[in-house]
Amino acid sequence: EEETMMTITKTVTLTGSSQFGENKVAATMYANLQNGNISTNITDKDLYIKNATQVKKDIADFTDQVFAEMEEA
């Protein structure tokens, strides 16, 4: 008979998005505060291109917030 076991993992994450108008998302951001992994996904390339400066600022602000949260933990 095989031994069984259950594992539970608690993770703390942050998610963000760079939005324009109603339901127009140019980029999404995700961060795992356990391991510092940050990922960004451009979800609408045309919207990103039209708003590149703001999207880049949103991504930078999100990254700053992730580091601040990690330093508090």
Side-chain angles (χ1 to χ4, degrees):
E1 208 173 292
E2 235 179 277
E3 182 182 336
T4 62
M5 54 186 213
M6 179 187 67
T7 60
I8 298 174
T9 304
K10 178 181 177 182
T11 60
V12 179
T13 60
L14 293 179
T15 57
S17 61
S18 184
Q19 295 181 258
F20 300 88
E22 209 174 304
N23 298 323
K24 292 181 181 176
V25 178
T28 57
M29 292 79 74
Y30 169 86
N32 180 323
L33 299 181
Q34 259 41 52
N35 61 19
N37 183 41
I38 301 171
S39 62
T40 302
N41 182 38
I42 301 301
T43 54
D44 185 326
K45 185 177 178 183
D46 291 336
L47 189 59
Y48 164 75
I49 290 169
K50 288 181 199 170
N51 300 283
T53 300
Q54 182 61 47
V55 174
K56 289 176 192 176
K57 182 183 179 317
D58 291 346
I59 292 168
D61 290 347
F62 179 81
T63 301
D64 289 345
Q65 182 63 39
V66 169
F67 289 135
E69 293 281 337
M70 288 179 63
E71 290 164 11
E72 287 177 15

